[in-house]
Each structure stands twice: as C-alpha cells, then as structure tokens.
Amino acid sequence: MSTGEQQVPENRVTSARDRVRASIEHREPDGLAVDLGSNPSSGISAVAHANLVAHLGLADQRTRVYDVVQQLAQPSDELLGRLRIDAVDIGRTFDAEDADWKPVTLPSGVDIEIPAWFEPVEQENGAWEAFTDDGTRIASLPRGAAFFDQTYFPSVDGYPDDLSGLPDVMPKVLWSGLVHSPWDHAGDEGFWETLRERTLALRASTDRALMVVVGCNLFEWGTFLRRIDNFLMDLVVDQANVERLLDALLELHFDTLDHVIEAVGDIVDVLRFGDDLGMDSGPLMSPQTYRTIFKPRHAALNAYVHERSPMKTFLHSCGSLYDLMPDIIETGVDILTPVQITAANMEPERLKAEFGADITFWGGGADTRVVLPRGTTAEVKDHVRRNIEALAPGGGFVFATAHNMLPDVPAANIEARFEAIDEYR
C-alpha cells in the first residue's frame, strides 16, 4: 500500500468520501471522519508541521507553505496516509512540481519552501514584507510572528461613489494578493479547464472527500477594505453604503461561483465560504444587524450553490456564534467550522444538543489555544475523547481542531491527539 492511500481496517468498507458525506447528512458513519488541512482553518503551521514530520520520522520531511499569509503547510500524501485523513483541498493539485517552490529559512531557523511566485522582502528589523507590482506595501510578517498582518486598506478613507472598480483594488488586500492554491493560478490561460482536469484526476486517485475553498466573504471584505474599526461603525451609522458594497461583492461572488460550479460542481463534495462573525465573548454585531444586512445575502450564496450543484456548503467563522446559530442555519449552510469551543456559549455539549440536528460541526475536536500547546499528552487525549463523545453521536461531525495548529503545539501532543482519534475509527 502506498503512503498516500487511505489505511482503512479490513472490516471497514466505507470510503473516506462516504464517511464524510454520511457525517454531513447526519448519518453516523462507520467510523469517525477526520480532517487535517482540507482548508485554511483546519491546518498546521510551518513550524509545527516541520516538528511533526521529524517526530514521526516520515520519509518526506519537506514543509511546503501553500498559504503564505497564515504560514500553513500543505500536508504531504505521506502524512495524510499516516494520519488517515478523510478530506483534501483540490488546490493541492496545483504547485505540484519541485520547480513551483523555493527554499527559505524562517527567522526561527526552520527550513521551509514557499511558492516560487512569492517574493517577500526582508527588512533590517527581521520582518518580512510583501508588496504589489506598483510598490504598495500590503502585508508584514513581524519577526517572531506566525502570520502576515494586513497593512493596506483600499477604502479606509471612505466608500467610492463607483464600486465597479472593486476588482482592481481587491488584489491589494493581502488575502487576495497573496492567495493560496489553486487561486494563485486563477490568471493563467485555461485555468478553469485545468482545474477541472486536475480535480477529476484527484477524485480518481483518492477516495477522500474533495473541498474547494472559494471565500465569497461579505463581512470580512468590508473589514478588508474599510478596516475593521471603520466597518463596525458603518454597520450602525452608514448601513446604506454597507449594503451598496455588499451587493457589489455579491455580484462578483456569483460570477466566481458560476465558474466554480461549471468547472468542478459535479466533482467536488464541499464548497467552503468564509466570513468571521464572532469574537470570544459573542458575535461582532447584534443578531438584528446580522438578520437585516448579512443573513439574506448569505442565504443567497447558499441557495446559488445548492440550486446549481450537489455540493454541500461550508461556512468558516471564528468566535462565539451561539446567538447567531438559528439564523446561520436558516441561511441554508450545511457545515460550520472551526467551532471555537473556548468562546462564550460554544461548549460542545450545548452546540450538539441545540443545533446538532440541523448543521454539521466540522471542528471543535481539540482546543488549539490552551490544551494542544500546553497540555500533557494525557490531557490532550482526555480532551479529544470528551469532545468526540459530545459531538459525534448521530453524525453531523467531522473531527478537526478549533482552528489551525500554531508553532507552539508540540509534535507529541499532535500524535496524542491522533492516538485518541484512532479509538473511534
């Protein structure tokens, strides 16, 4: 058996893809569905990945950073096989050749590879900074930090009268200008045809569920363009401009979805949206503001996908979403991630009891803030078991962490996490 194959016990006949789809459809699968790195909020940072592959003694010791903003490593086929992962991002079919990467050394001394197109400029203070072709500074990675910060906000001084220029300014936001695969190739000739060909090949070569990450953020794009302090005030004092911006964004998102659905809508299992709506203590806005401004537009995005494809929809949102959960469910989204279980009212037992029949929780399996980085291996295992016991019964759960694993998570604790997971597979 090759290292990239799914290592399933002989008495299990369900494929990884079926396991994930059963979970999403609230049917208890033959064993726990598990994710690592199928999207940029269930992943592992470069440093933690380098430590993990060394700890496990894998033949492939490379750490390839596919998401340069968050410094996330792309798990190799060998690592996916070793950990028995059930879902993958179709973006991994791009940047697949050695020539697509170049070696660099992080300030911490860890050797990694970054996409060949990425040209960060090291500063005298040790920071890495990223610039557009016209010299605009759009992102900075301070020395010792784990991810890039946004440094340019195109509409910080106010909303333009004409929003037709959004496609021209959005690439100056780091999340668009430093985008991860496959979207770093979206400007290539024949991109959509290539995306379909490679996704078909990936589906034929693995039984894992396939994910396409599309973003289509609304609230977050407001913060990217206006800066979060301004945009939060706008939600209260300038709703007309907020809604004008969101409707312009929706048109761009529908166009993106048209292309995605045509290219891979019949191949991919899950389509991922993103829109951070919460903080530790609660939502970033009142439920009434969400219902008035964002809910109908999120519902439109979900309906657009569901009416045109069999793909399940997946919403990434950090923070405490308890007060918004009934509304989020009513938008038609199938899956919520990363399920930040340390935030207010986001205890696994509470979420499962109140909302577990109506939405799938893809995450919440392990706390990445305290338990994974600071706990003992025994504490990690107990913590993982408790969360699985709370969230898995009856389906509606795919195991992933409560967000990406950062550099301070010891490799031994990651291994302990998977040893506990294996008790449920």
Side-chain angles (χ1 to χ4, degrees):
M1 178 179 292
S2 70
T3 55
E5 292 179 0
Q6 191 75 15
Q7 299 176 19
V8 182
E10 291 182 358
N11 63 331
R12 303 273 177 92
V13 296
T14 301
S15 71
R17 185 174 299 121
D18 290 340
R19 190 172 301 121
V20 170
R21 292 196 69 92
S23 300
I24 298 170
E25 293 165 1
H26 299 272
R27 295 181 287 111
E28 194 162 323
D30 68 329
L32 185 66
V34 181
D35 177 31
L36 172 67
S38 74
N39 69 94
S41 55
S42 68
I44 181 169
S45 75
V47 173
H49 177 272
N51 292 337
L52 177 63
V53 295
H55 177 79
L56 295 176
L58 300 187
D60 189 348
Q61 291 284 309
R62 297 170 299 181
T63 291
R64 288 182 162 173
V65 175
Y66 82 103
D67 181 338
V68 299
V69 173
Q70 297 186 95
Q71 294 290 287
L72 297 181
Q74 182 164 272
S76 66
D77 286 343
E78 183 182 14
L79 182 59
L80 293 175
R82 176 70 171 269
L83 300 180
R84 295 165 56 190
I85 301 304
D86 294 303
V88 290
D89 179 2
I90 65 172
R92 68 189 291 110
T93 62
F94 287 76
D95 300 324
E97 305 298 327
D98 289 345
D100 296 324
W101 302 88
K102 61 185 178 185
V104 297
T105 301
L106 292 172
S108 61
V110 175
D111 292 327
I112 65 171
E113 296 180 30
I114 59 176
W117 56 260
F118 184 43
E119 298 286 350
V121 179
E122 187 170 1
Q123 307 299 305
E124 290 185 4
N125 62 5
W128 286 2
E129 297 189 342
F131 298 83
T132 60
D133 291 341
D134 68 4
T136 303
R137 175 177 171 267
I138 64 170
S140 177
L141 176 73
R143 185 177 181 87
F147 49 83
F148 278 84
D149 294 320
Q150 183 175 346
T151 57
Y152 181 71
F153 300 85
S155 301
V156 68
D157 294 324
Y159 293 86
D161 293 333
D162 182 1
L163 291 170
S164 64
L166 276 177
D168 298 322
V169 299
M170 290 167 75
K172 291 191 174 184
V173 170
L174 81 167
W175 297 103
S176 181
L178 305 178
V179 73
H180 57 76
S181 57
W183 308 114
D184 54 344
H185 291 274
D188 295 354
E189 184 177 355
F191 167 73
W192 295 107
E193 293 79 7
T194 301
L195 181 66
R196 180 170 182 80
E197 291 169 3
R198 295 187 180 186
T199 304
L200 282 168
L202 179 63
R203 191 174 182 93
S205 69
T206 180
D207 73 346
R208 298 184 177 99
L210 303 187
M211 174 91 66
V212 58
V213 178
V214 297
C216 293
N217 318 61
L218 294 174
F219 172 77
E220 283 188 304
W221 263 114
T223 68
F224 299 159
L225 294 166
R226 287 279 289 138
R227 206 174 61 196
I228 191 168
D229 53 342
N230 292 321
F231 194 63
L232 287 173
M233 290 188 286
D234 293 344
L235 294 180
V236 179
V237 302
D238 196 6
Q239 290 189 1
N241 265 323
V242 168
E243 296 203 60
R244 191 167 64 90
L245 171 64
L246 298 184
D247 288 339
L249 288 168
L250 267 183
E251 291 306 309
L252 296 175
H253 295 338
F254 288 148
D255 182 64
T256 297
L257 291 174
D258 279 339
H259 286 89
V260 170
I261 291 167
E262 181 178 0
V264 299
D266 58 335
I267 313 170
V268 165
D269 301 286
V270 180
L271 179 144
R272 178 194 187 268
F273 293 129
D275 230 358
D276 280 340
L277 302 170
M279 50 189 171
D280 278 355
S281 57
L284 281 158
M285 67 197 75
S286 71
Q288 184 56 48
T289 297
Y290 178 75
R291 291 184 196 117
T292 301
I293 298 178
F294 295 99
K295 182 179 179 179
R297 294 173 173 88
H298 281 151
L301 288 169
N302 281 292
Y304 205 86
V305 174
H306 289 144
E307 290 168 3
R308 292 164 174 81
S309 81
M311 292 186 291
K312 301 295 185 179
T313 56
F314 177 115
L315 175 66
H316 163 80
S317 178
C318 296
S320 173
L321 304 179
Y322 178 79
D323 293 339
L324 301 182
M325 284 299 298
D327 295 294
I328 289 172
I329 289 168
E330 288 178 5
T331 67
V333 69
D334 299 299
I335 305 160
L336 179 70
T337 196
V339 194
Q340 191 177 324
I341 56 177
T342 56
N345 300 317
M346 293 289 284
E347 300 89 348
E349 296 82 4
R350 181 197 296 260
L351 293 176
K352 186 71 172 183
E354 297 191 33
F355 310 116
D358 301 311
I359 199 165
T360 292
F361 297 111
W362 190 303
D367 164 42
T368 52
R369 181 178 293 180
V370 176
V371 178
L372 278 179
R374 302 179 190 173
T376 65
T377 55
E379 289 169 339
V380 168
K381 289 182 178 181
D382 287 344
H383 171 71
V384 166
R385 293 186 190 107
R386 285 196 302 272
N387 292 333
I388 293 172
E389 295 288 349
L391 291 167
F397 176 58
V398 175
F399 188 102
T401 49
H403 213 295
N404 299 317
M405 292 181 285
L406 295 180
D408 58 351
V409 177
N413 281 2
I414 299 174
E415 184 177 37
R417 164 194 159 192
F418 279 95
E419 287 174 350
I421 289 170
D422 284 345
E423 299 171 17
Y424 299 86
R425 297 201 276 195

